[in-house]
Amino acid sequence: MTTEAKIEQATIDWLTDLGYSHIHGTTFTFPENEVVDKATLLAFIQQQHPHLPAELYPLIVAEFVNNKGADLLYRNRDFHLKLTKGLDYEYQDANGNEKAVHVYPIDFQNPENNTFWVVNQLSIKGKNKRRPDVIVYVNGLPLIVFELKNWFDENTNLQEAFNQIQHYTKDIPLLFEYNVATIVSDGNEAQHGMFNAANEWYAAWKSINGTTIVEDDFQMHTLLFGLFPKDRLLNYIKNFVFFEDHNGTLIKKGAKYHQFFGVNFAVEAAKKAIRPYGDGRIGVIWHTQGSGKSISMAIYAGILRSLPELKNPTIVVQVDRSDLDFQLYENFVLAKDLVGDVQHADSTDDLRRLLSAGSGGVIFTTIEKFRLKSGNENTLGEIEHPILSERENIIVMADEAHRTQYGLLDGFASNLRKALPNASFIGFTGTPVDSKDADTQEVFGETIHVYDIKQAVDDKATVPIYYEPRLAKLHLANENLDSEVDLLTMEQEDSSNLKWAALEDAAGSQERVEKIAKDILKHYTNRTETLPGKAMIVCMSRRNSVKMYDALSQLEGCPEIAVVMTGNISKDPIEWNPHIRTQEATEGLKKRFRNPKDPLQIVIVRDMWLTGFDAPCVHTMYVDKIMKGHNLMQAITRTNRVFKDKPSGVIVDYIGIGDQLRKATDKYTGGGGKGQPTIDMVQALNMFFGQIETCKAMLSEEIDYSQWKALRESDKMLLVKKALSSVIKYDEIANQFMLEEKKLTGLLSIVKSQPEIQDFAIDILFIQHVSKAVRNAKTPKGNGRATQNEIKELISRSIESDDIIDVFAMAGIEKADISILDEQFLLGVKKDKDSIAIKIELLKNILKDEIRMRLPQNIKKYTSLKEELEKVIDRYHSNAIDSYTTIAELVERAKEIQDEDKRKSELGLTDEELAFYDILSAKKDIINEAGPIQDIVHNVVKAVKNNLQIDWTNKEDAKAAIRLAVKKELRGKVSILELNAILQEIMEQAEGQFKEWRA
């Protein structure tokens, strides 16, 4: 039988096939309480930088090996940043000239310049002594850890491999300071993930070439040949792993296979499409909603910014609604390790300024900011959008905006292209491009990569959605209701359309609302007994939302609920006041609902939070609103996010959206086959020979296992997998094969003493291997409690209720599995403002623009002023201060800006010098220099400017040269202990102020 050691050997075989050198852990000479081969790292750095002083090499090695951080994850991040961004050093050459160099521990550009090892059985001593199965080393650094289990041992599984990794992080944490990713495998399955992630975030790597999904191969084989070719692994390490900082809580993330290949294909497409080489149409990436599209976009932007051939491009991230703009912007900010700094265009003028300012950076905007300016009494309005930049290295990334991009003759899309005539375009979408979007190819180009909802569900990147119709009939006498629905759904809630009003009244009848409320509470209570989670209720109108809240909240056992809706206090009934919130309060409610431990369990909405909102703990949506098309698809996928043990999302339909749903999901519905095999008992030697032939006949004729004993372990596994693929396609055949093998093994115990059976030894071995593989694939070992909960959940979805019609129960159907294609829809809410509010808005915008323009001049000062401005506006919006107090405080902020100009003049400083003066004057107690500080400031700024070069903020050697020049100016004036702290502040200010420097 194949053992765990043979799984290990297969892994080693495949990695050596990829050019890795196999090293046995017992040959290492460094101590057991260390994990880095410092000698190999030292040799690499000496090879890459042969002209450095000898005494500098051990210092460089020490800095790469010793990581800072209060806990393991922070130390891991510290190492990863050094690994991927390198470190800079200053030294004197043989002639005494001061030099600066930037050092990486890996040569990412030339994979063959690095040393790749696959190491097994390395003993490591920590809290306890442990020996991981396989470790991949690059230049002496242990970057990937494998934990393997025996495929053919029915008592082990993938979960045990995952658990072992968790124990390793406690017992030998030093190993994981350097860890990029971990691999767990039981032989049949293999998954990759981050060492600190929960097991639901581990995933299979299902493609070798990025275009073909591999289902019938060993997952370990696909993973190794799909990710571990040297150039791919280094690309993944540098560009596809990052850390998010959520208010001090770190989350480490790594791309899945669809993100890795999709982004890389898009990078290559950009190189070909950007002008002057191509026509500016990069293409379209379709990665379904919930599968990490935002992360893919952030990774893509980061890679584009680093490409030398793009010469520091400007990336314009364009969305079609402000709520999506803010959410995506937050995701980019969280991924700043990859993306760098991100700017946000808050207005049309702001956008025009950012795009006219020069190259480089990431700019967020909504498409409506590409508007024409209106005229006034003295000037005419714009009749054509001005050109903002004619540069060819501008790339527009349109998020979910392909439906807003087709008005190329007129409108925002036309304005965008006039503003940026030489830009290139790429579309990212979570929805398929349907027949009505035939112009997509004309706008963006060919589809680059597709990851649809079916594949996402298969990969467990999203959970499946189940549909449960429980119709509560509308008391509306209208035989033509179905044919009129299409017209009705095009109208807004506040429209005077009588048909919509009639539907709203019927859906909101007191009797009906009360019946639905009782059914929702009963359904939700039963569902959450076995599956904790939250729910959303979607109502026809704001009025009906409030009615539903009142009906639910009066029921015994109702959990905490809330209505989420917009409000207009001049028109809305006073009874709605408890449900009308400020933006700040709504954001607070959103955070509460996203928190699975918060008691807020159910929210009632009309259209808010149905798009651009992720709460993974939501597992149920109750729909009592007529929806169709994109609106419907976008809404119901609020339930498809992966979350802990959540097996699926459920849509409970009270109003009849089934037909609309089926139009988009028919191709993803269906069920599997069933088999009821029977067993015939046989005995004696002659029947044994017949049983051998029976089993062999069930295997593909193409499978030749005659040389079984001579094969490498890795090749044996591929052969078994090939046989498994042919057997397991149909339940009946798979079940029959297992039973026939069981019969064969039973007969073997009777005839094993007969010499005739020796001629069939290889047949028996191979058939038993295939059978065990089939058995493990058909009945994987898992958590018994999870299985029990899934059964309970299935029962809870089949509960019938008086008055509410459970359509599936009537038809005798347990469930229907639908896979959803997301679409987003446009929302727009115009808020009236009185004259005082308009004055506040104007004054606020003037101050924001002034601060934004001045910010590079003095980052500390104007960042502080910006925060003060935001606090004033927040207090105004939360009604903490009235309109007149707000205006007074805004005027006070304006005076601070005027005082700053006066102070600059009195000190005799230029705009460029004032910020550096503030940095140094704050440290005047530690400056050992007679005379005014202004003299030092003049010299420091001069030192910075003399060493500037184009795109210097993206060149580590250039930054090192500036540091060196500033150090020279401050040496002797500031103590060595204080010098680095001051230098860091000066460099931060220099990067902000002179980022766009041009010769």
Side-chain angles (χ1 to χ4, degrees):
M1 276 299 149
T2 301
T3 64
E4 184 176 320
K6 292 179 180 178
I7 302 289
E8 180 181 301
Q9 186 59 48
T11 301
I12 293 169
D13 287 344
W14 286 325
L15 284 170
T16 54
D17 288 345
L18 289 168
Y20 291 59
S21 299
H22 175 212
I23 307 284
H24 200 280
T26 56
T27 64
F28 280 140
T29 57
F30 53 77
E32 285 189 336
N33 61 353
E34 295 183 10
V35 295
V36 174
D37 187 354
K38 298 176 185 175
T40 299
L41 180 59
L42 175 63
F44 169 78
I45 293 172
Q46 288 174 330
Q47 173 190 320
Q48 294 293 105
H49 304 282
H51 303 299
L52 298 181
E55 65 272 12
L56 189 57
Y57 292 119
L59 297 177
I60 295 174
V61 170
E63 190 161 2
F64 279 120
V65 170
N66 297 311
N67 307 307
K68 300 174 184 177
D71 60 28
L72 176 57
L73 196 54
Y74 272 90
R75 293 193 294 277
N76 184 240
R77 184 194 191 190
D78 183 57
F79 170 74
H80 191 80
L81 291 175
K82 292 184 291 188
L83 176 71
T84 55
K85 298 186 182 300
L87 296 169
D88 55 61
Y89 294 92
E90 299 160 9
Y91 68 97
Q92 288 187 342
D93 65 13
N95 298 319
N97 298 316
E98 299 215 23
K99 301 282 187 178
V101 64
H102 195 74
V103 180
Y104 288 92
I106 290 177
D107 187 343
F108 289 101
Q109 301 301 318
N110 306 287
E112 293 303 326
N113 286 348
N114 305 286
T115 302
F116 288 81
W117 294 339
V118 50
V119 178
N120 65 322
Q121 302 302 311
L122 174 65
S123 294
I124 302 170
K125 189 175 182 181
K127 174 186 172 186
N128 292 297
K129 191 173 181 179
R130 298 295 181 208
R131 192 172 61 186
D133 291 326
V134 174
I135 304 173
V136 166
Y137 273 77
V138 182
N139 297 338
L141 296 165
L143 301 184
I144 315 288
V145 176
F146 292 71
E147 187 56 34
L148 311 171
K149 294 300 174 187
N150 183 6
W151 183 22
F152 302 102
D153 184 347
E154 296 179 22
N155 296 315
T156 64
N157 57 44
L158 205 63
Q159 180 65 40
E160 290 188 9
F162 172 79
N163 288 344
Q164 207 152 324
I165 291 290
Q166 307 312 301
H167 281 289
Y168 286 163
T169 63
K170 305 296 183 185
D171 291 338
I172 47 173
L174 182 61
L175 176 64
F176 292 90
E177 286 190 20
Y178 310 95
N179 185 253
V180 172
T182 55
I183 313 294
V184 294
S185 176
D186 65 359
N188 182 38
E189 293 185 88
Q191 297 182 351
H192 69 102
M194 304 295 108
F195 74 84
N196 62 307
N199 61 346
E200 66 261 28
W201 296 110
Y202 276 65
W205 192 279
K206 288 193 174 181
S207 186
I208 292 176
N209 58 16
T211 56
T212 305
I213 302 299
V214 179
E215 299 288 0
D216 296 333
D217 195 4
F218 263 108
Q219 286 188 1
M220 179 65 83
H221 181 265
T222 305
L223 169 63
L224 293 179
F225 284 86
L227 176 59
F228 279 77
K230 295 176 182 178
D231 56 338
R232 286 190 189 174
L233 183 63
L234 297 189
N235 182 7
Y236 188 85
I237 290 170
K238 184 168 177 60
N239 297 311
F240 291 87
V241 177
F242 65 100
F243 295 76
E244 293 180 351
D245 189 342
H246 295 259
N247 298 319
T249 300
L250 285 186
I251 298 176
K252 185 180 182 182
K253 293 185 176 181
K256 303 297 187 284
Y257 75 93
H258 67 279
Q259 296 169 310
F260 178 79
F261 285 117
V263 168
N264 279 314
F265 290 158
V267 169
E268 293 306 310
K271 292 178 183 178
K272 296 175 183 177
I274 59 169
R275 305 174 196 274
Y277 312 107
D279 61 5
R281 295 180 300 165
I282 299 172
V284 177
I285 296 284
W286 168 23
H287 284 183
T288 195
Q289 190 75 29
S291 66
K293 178 168 60 68
S294 297
I295 289 175
S296 297
M297 294 178 70
I299 293 171
Y300 184 60
I303 294 176
L304 291 183
R305 292 192 68 183
S306 69
L307 290 178
E309 51 263 66
L310 296 190
K311 301 175 183 177
N312 191 25
T314 296
I315 313 297
V316 179
V317 183
Q318 176 255 303
V319 301
D320 59 4
R321 283 211 323 281
S322 58
D323 55 343
L324 298 180
D325 176 33
F326 183 71
Q327 178 171 315
L328 190 60
Y329 173 74
E330 284 186 325
N331 289 333
F332 268 59
V333 170
L334 286 171
K336 65 179 180 180
D337 285 355
L338 297 176
V339 182
D341 293 330
V342 181
Q343 295 176 293
H344 192 278
D346 295 330
S347 65
T348 295
D349 287 340
D350 195 18
L351 175 65
R352 292 186 180 189
R353 181 185 62 80
L354 290 171
L355 289 174
S356 303
S359 66
V362 178
I363 301 169
F364 269 77
T365 181
T366 52
I367 194 165
E368 53 83 23
K369 289 188 176 66
F370 287 94
R371 65 163 69 93
L372 300 179
K373 289 188 177 182
S374 302
N376 54 38
E377 293 180 357
N378 301 316
T379 61
L380 295 173
E382 292 178 333
I383 58 174
E384 188 168 298
H385 200 286
I387 294 174
L388 301 180
S389 176
E390 294 185 284
R391 288 187 294 111
E392 295 174 331
N393 64 341
I394 295 177
I395 296 174
V396 177
M397 294 170 55
D399 174 47
E400 290 290 8
H402 49 87
R403 283 170 304 282
T404 65
Q405 290 286 334
Y406 302 141
L408 300 185
L409 297 179
D410 191 22
F412 297 141
S414 173
N415 293 343
L416 188 159
R417 282 161 176 76
K418 289 173 182 174
L420 308 171
N422 295 317
S424 298
F425 292 79
I426 181 171
F428 282 80
T429 178
T431 63
V433 180
D434 60 31
S435 58
K436 290 182 289 185
D437 293 333
D439 290 334
T440 296
Q441 185 172 326
E442 291 299 315
V443 176
F444 292 106
E446 301 282 352
T447 298
I448 300 170
H449 194 254
V450 173
Y451 188 68
D452 64 22
I453 187 68
K454 186 176 186 301
Q455 191 61 49
V457 171
D458 289 345
D459 293 346
K460 297 183 173 61
T462 61
V463 300
I465 295 175
Y466 295 96
Y467 172 64
E468 184 178 334
R470 299 168 71 81
L471 299 182
K473 292 183 177 179
L474 289 172
H475 301 296
L476 186 68
N478 184 351
E479 296 179 0
N480 300 314
L481 178 61
D482 288 344
S483 63
E484 294 175 358
V485 161
D486 285 355
L487 290 173
L488 300 182
T489 54
M490 300 300 290
E491 303 296 332
Q492 295 295 325
E493 172 202 332
D494 295 326
S495 167
S496 59
N497 187 287
L498 296 177
K499 295 174 184 175
W500 180 265
L503 271 177
E504 179 193 337
D505 286 344
S509 69
Q510 195 63 33
E511 179 186 4
R512 182 177 181 278
V513 170
E514 288 175 358
K515 286 178 180 178
I516 292 177
K518 289 177 183 177
D519 192 65
I520 287 175
L521 183 57
K522 183 178 179 182
H523 186 282
Y524 179 74
T525 301
N526 281 303
R527 181 157 168 74
T528 52
E529 279 181 359
T530 58
L531 187 68
K534 300 192 176 186
M536 300 177 74
I537 302 172
V538 187
C539 292
M540 189 86 75
S541 64
R542 295 185 302 138
R543 184 179 306 279
N544 287 6
S545 298
V546 174
K547 286 183 177 181
M548 182 63 71
Y549 175 88
D550 292 340
L552 268 172
S553 59
Q554 291 172 14
L555 297 175
E556 184 179 352
C558 180
E560 184 178 350
I561 60 178
V563 177
V564 182
M565 65 183 195
T566 56
N568 185 331
I569 58 174
S570 66
K571 296 181 179 180
D572 293 340
I574 189 65
E575 294 80 10
W576 294 10
N577 185 264
H579 309 298
I580 298 173
R581 301 175 182 85
T582 63
Q583 183 177 353
E584 183 180 6
T586 302
E587 285 299 313
L589 197 70
K590 185 182 290 185
K591 290 179 181 177
R592 288 191 59 200
F593 189 59
R594 281 174 171 159
N595 181 358
K597 297 180 180 179
D598 192 281
L600 177 61
Q601 296 294 299
I602 301 174
V603 293
I604 305 169
V605 303
R606 180 193 69 168
D607 47 25
M608 290 185 72
W609 293 11
L610 293 183
T611 182
F613 171 69
D614 287 345
C617 57
V618 171
H619 61 31
T620 308
M621 176 175 283
Y622 301 97
V623 177
D624 196 35
K625 175 184 177 181
I626 296 172
M627 293 185 285
K628 61 178 290 187
H630 303 156
N631 297 7
L632 175 60
M633 297 302 104
Q634 189 73 37
I636 64 178
T637 51
R638 299 309 99 202
T639 67
N640 80 342
R641 299 324 194 243
V642 172
F643 181 73
K644 295 185 178 178
D645 295 328
K646 171 179 160 184
S648 62
V650 171
I651 305 302
V652 182
D653 176 15
Y654 288 103
I655 203 163
I657 59 171
D659 288 341
Q660 296 294 341
L661 205 50
R662 274 191 293 276
K663 288 180 182 178
T665 61
D666 271 350
K667 61 183 176 180
Y668 297 128
T669 59
K674 296 180 180 179
Q676 298 294 331
T678 59
I679 301 174
D680 296 320
M681 297 300 294
V682 295
Q683 56 185 349
L685 186 59
N686 288 338
M687 295 307 298
F688 170 77
F689 295 139
Q691 195 62 28
I692 287 279
E693 294 305 316
T694 299
C695 292
K696 289 172 64 176
M698 300 182 74
L699 299 174
S700 171
E701 293 180 359
E702 298 176 357
I703 297 172
D704 179 10
Y705 56 83
S706 59
Q707 302 300 314
W708 175 261
K709 291 185 178 180
L711 295 176
R712 294 192 311 174
E713 291 301 326
S714 53
D715 294 326
K716 286 181 180 179
M717 295 192 184
L718 291 178
L719 195 59
V720 172
K721 189 69 177 183
K722 187 175 181 182
L724 172 64
S725 301
S726 65
V727 170
I728 207 168
K729 286 181 180 177
Y730 304 100
D731 285 349
E732 280 193 39
I733 294 175
N735 292 338
Q736 189 71 35
F737 186 84
M738 288 188 289
L739 289 168
E740 297 297 347
E741 180 274 326
K742 183 178 180 181
K743 192 186 300 183
L744 175 64
T745 302
L747 286 167
L748 180 62
S749 65
I750 299 172
V751 300
K752 62 184 178 182
S753 60
Q754 303 299 313
E756 294 95 324
I757 71 169
Q758 295 303 316
D759 295 336
F760 299 92
I762 291 177
D763 296 302
I764 296 167
L765 282 172
F766 187 71
I767 290 167
Q768 287 179 333
H769 272 77
V770 174
S771 180
K772 288 210 170 186
V774 173
R775 189 172 295 112
N776 283 344
K778 292 282 291 176
T779 56
K781 306 299 176 296
N783 188 319
R785 181 179 62 83
T787 304
Q788 184 181 23
N789 284 348
E790 286 184 25
I791 294 170
K792 288 182 179 179
E793 193 226 348
L794 179 61
I795 294 170
S796 74
R797 283 194 277 108
S798 301
I799 294 172
E800 295 188 38
S801 173
D802 294 336
D803 298 325
I804 305 296
I805 303 171
D806 189 331
V807 179
F808 281 173
M810 285 180 61
I813 301 172
E814 289 183 331
K815 66 180 180 181
D817 185 1
I818 58 172
S819 298
I820 311 305
L821 302 177
D822 300 338
E823 286 289 351
Q824 68 178 26
F825 57 94
L826 295 174
L827 287 177
V829 179
K830 295 182 178 179
K831 297 182 179 179
D832 294 329
K833 296 175 180 173
D834 57 26
S835 58
I836 293 291
I838 291 173
K839 289 178 182 176
I840 291 173
E841 189 74 6
L842 287 173
L843 185 52
K844 178 195 74 175
N845 287 335
I846 290 169
L847 282 171
K848 283 179 71 176
D849 286 345
E850 189 69 17
I851 290 172
R852 196 176 297 109
M853 285 187 292
R854 292 168 176 258
L855 188 60
Q857 297 175 13
N858 196 329
I859 293 173
K860 272 196 169 183
K861 172 66 93 177
Y862 288 104
T863 297
S864 173
L865 198 56
K866 179 173 177 285
E867 290 170 352
E868 289 179 29
L869 174 62
E870 289 169 350
K871 287 177 183 177
V872 172
I873 298 302
D874 285 345
R875 288 169 64 203
Y876 168 66
H877 286 157
S878 62
N879 299 319
I881 55 177
D882 62 20
S883 303
Y884 296 98
T885 305
T886 302
I887 290 177
E889 291 211 23
L890 292 178
V891 170
E892 195 64 31
R893 300 289 88 77
K895 286 182 179 178
E896 289 182 40
I897 294 176
Q898 293 172 343
D899 291 341
E900 192 72 355
D901 290 340
K902 184 179 179 182
R903 186 170 71 96
K904 176 183 62 183
S905 176
E906 290 173 349
L907 290 169
L909 297 171
T910 65
D911 290 343
E912 293 176 337
E913 293 173 335
L914 187 60
F916 295 93
Y917 173 86
D918 287 344
I919 293 171
L920 293 170
S921 65
K923 311 281 186 181
K924 60 184 178 183
D925 294 336
I926 59 170
I927 295 177
N928 304 315
E929 181 77 0
I933 292 177
Q934 287 93 316
D935 293 343
I936 303 175
V937 172
H938 294 319
N939 292 332
V940 165
V941 174
K942 185 177 180 181
V944 171
K945 294 180 69 176
N946 285 346
N947 286 279
L948 292 175
Q949 54 180 276
I950 293 175
D951 194 26
W952 70 274
T953 57
N954 291 314
K955 299 174 182 176
E956 294 299 333
D957 287 344
K959 289 195 281 188
I962 293 175
R963 289 191 191 94
L964 185 61
V966 173
K967 271 188 176 181
K968 284 183 179 179
E969 289 299 330
L970 294 178
R971 278 178 189 154
K973 303 179 181 71
V974 180
S975 71
I976 297 296
L977 293 175
E978 298 289 342
L979 182 57
N980 284 336
I982 294 179
L983 183 62
Q984 182 176 349
E985 289 187 49
I986 288 174
M987 287 302 297
E988 288 174 358
Q989 177 60 38
E991 288 193 35
Q993 188 163 323
F994 300 113
K995 183 177 182 180
E996 306 296 340
W997 183 86
R998 291 290 178 271

